[in-house]
Amino acid sequence: MYARLLTFNIGPGQRDIATGMADEAFAMVKPMKGFVSAAYFIIDEGAGEYGSVTTWQSRADADAAGEILLPWMMQKVGDKLTAPPVSRHAEVYEPR
């Protein structure tokens, strides 16, 4: 499995926008090929930092999701971003 980690900053006072986006993003990713799970988080509300981690059956599935989700995010909040979003992939190790 692979995780796709995304962090972004849209400035202070944007919690409603961030949580609304999380709701929309979850509805988008649930039916995508290879989707396993998703979590959305508030890193520092005062600074406007938010993020997500989605888990996928394969790296290809994670990459395909990113190709759809990043442009969607840029359309939603691109004008509010204080810096480019940071997206990373990680192989998931499940302890035995």
Side-chain angles (χ1 to χ4, degrees):
M1 279 194 303
Y2 279 83
R4 182 173 179 274
L5 301 104
L6 176 72
T7 57
F8 61 98
N9 188 311
I10 53 175
Q14 304 296 327
R15 182 186 184 113
D16 289 345
I17 290 172
T19 56
M21 283 179 48
D23 293 340
E24 288 182 51
F26 185 64
M28 290 172 62
V29 299
K30 279 192 324 185
M32 287 183 177
K33 179 182 178 296
F35 174 76
V36 176
S37 66
Y40 302 89
F41 41 89
I42 299 151
I43 299 168
D44 184 339
E45 184 176 1
E49 293 179 71
Y50 302 91
S52 66
V53 60
T54 51
T55 309
W56 303 88
Q57 291 177 354
S58 72
R59 171 75 187 249
D61 295 336
D63 288 342
E67 293 295 319
I68 293 167
L69 294 168
L70 190 56
W72 170 81
M73 182 181 143
M74 295 305 289
Q75 179 187 17
K76 287 287 208 184
V77 294
D79 61 329
K80 292 178 176 19
L81 291 169
T82 62
V86 176
S87 179
R88 299 189 63 189
H89 289 86
E91 184 176 355
V92 175
Y93 172 76
E94 295 181 81
R96 296 172 217 187

